[in-house]
Amino acid sequence: MFQPRPPLRPLSARFLHVSRPLCDHVGPPHPISNMRPMIYDEDAPASTQRAYHPYSLHEFDPEPASPYKLQWKLQRQQLDEFHHTFWLESNTRFERGKQEALSRLPETATALDKERALSEFYRQWVEQEDRRTGEYTEEWRQRNRSSLILASRVAYQKFTARFSDIVLFKKKSA
């Protein structure tokens, strides 16, 4: 059965169209830190970007250079590295402490003795790490806020650039 084609979009709407979706990926978890690394869309290899569009759009940057874009990218990478480093170091110390707690038990220790020793270790660990984890959390939140501010600036510049393209196009065609 014949179905009519949808009406063509006005040319101005084409300026707002994104030719390929942004698609950040998450890698496998690190064996010690348990953090899953982010692979951001703009950092993905060109071979994966080619699959989004039939033309070679990956060779061109469709957006004008933004003074905040590079700063935001670097800040995200630093935040991810800060997060990973904290948990890598924390989990390494945790496992070392856990093994030390278990090694203090005699070879004849029962499962209940091991459970009690681990329970005491966990209690001490939480108390010992409370201040350190709180400081990490505050630092992470502060860095995350500044990253969000930069992200909003990048998005605003992108929006204004596209809006000005539409206005300029209408003036030229009038």
Side-chain angles (χ1 to χ4, degrees), residues 61-75:
D61 188 5
E63 299 158 20
S66 164
Y68 298 114
K69 194 172 184 179
L70 179 60
Q71 187 180 357
W72 179 48
K73 179 180 179 178
L74 292 174
Q75 203 169 38

Side-chain angles (χ1 to χ4, degrees), residues 78-123:
Q78 290 169 350
L79 181 62
D80 290 347
E81 185 61 30
F82 171 73
H83 186 62
H84 172 76
T85 302
F86 175 83
W87 289 109
L88 178 68
E89 193 267 335
S90 180
N91 290 350
T92 301
R93 288 185 313 103
F94 177 82
E95 285 300 321
R96 191 178 327 123
K98 187 169 112 177
Q99 293 307 318
E100 286 175 15
L102 290 174
S103 68
R104 288 189 216 120
L105 294 174
E107 300 241 350
T108 58
T110 64
L112 184 59
D113 293 335
K114 290 179 183 179
E115 192 175 311
R116 286 181 182 148
L118 285 177
S119 178
E120 180 60 23
F121 167 72
Y122 293 153
R123 184 189 63 75

Side-chain angles (χ1 to χ4, degrees), residues 27-90:
H30 186 273
I32 299 172
S33 71
N34 295 316
M35 295 296 108
R36 297 178 65 124
M38 287 294 299
I39 303 166
Y40 297 102
D41 188 55
E42 65 267 7
D43 297 335
S47 60
T48 59
Q49 290 180 353
R50 252 183 249 130
Y52 295 122
H53 201 281
Y55 303 108
S56 297
L57 294 179
H58 69 281
E59 297 173 9
F60 308 102
D61 188 5
E63 299 158 20
S66 164
Y68 298 114
K69 194 172 184 179
L70 179 60
Q71 187 180 357
W72 179 48
K73 179 180 179 178
L74 292 174
Q75 203 169 38
R76 281 189 311 186
Q77 290 171 348
Q78 290 169 350
L79 181 62
D80 290 347
E81 185 61 30
F82 171 73
H83 186 62
H84 172 76
T85 302
F86 175 83
W87 289 109
L88 178 68
E89 193 267 335
S90 180

Side-chain angles (χ1 to χ4, degrees), residues 109-143:
T110 64
L112 184 59
D113 293 335
K114 290 179 183 179
E115 192 175 311
R116 286 181 182 148
L118 285 177
S119 178
E120 180 60 23
F121 167 72
Y122 293 153
R123 184 189 63 75
Q124 289 175 355
W125 177 262
V126 169
E127 289 174 1
Q128 161 191 325
E129 294 297 306
D130 185 50
R131 185 184 59 78
R132 187 173 176 276
T133 305
E135 290 170 357
Y136 157 77
T137 303
E138 276 304 309
E139 177 71 18
W140 183 83
R141 285 179 178 163
Q142 181 181 1
R143 289 183 182 204

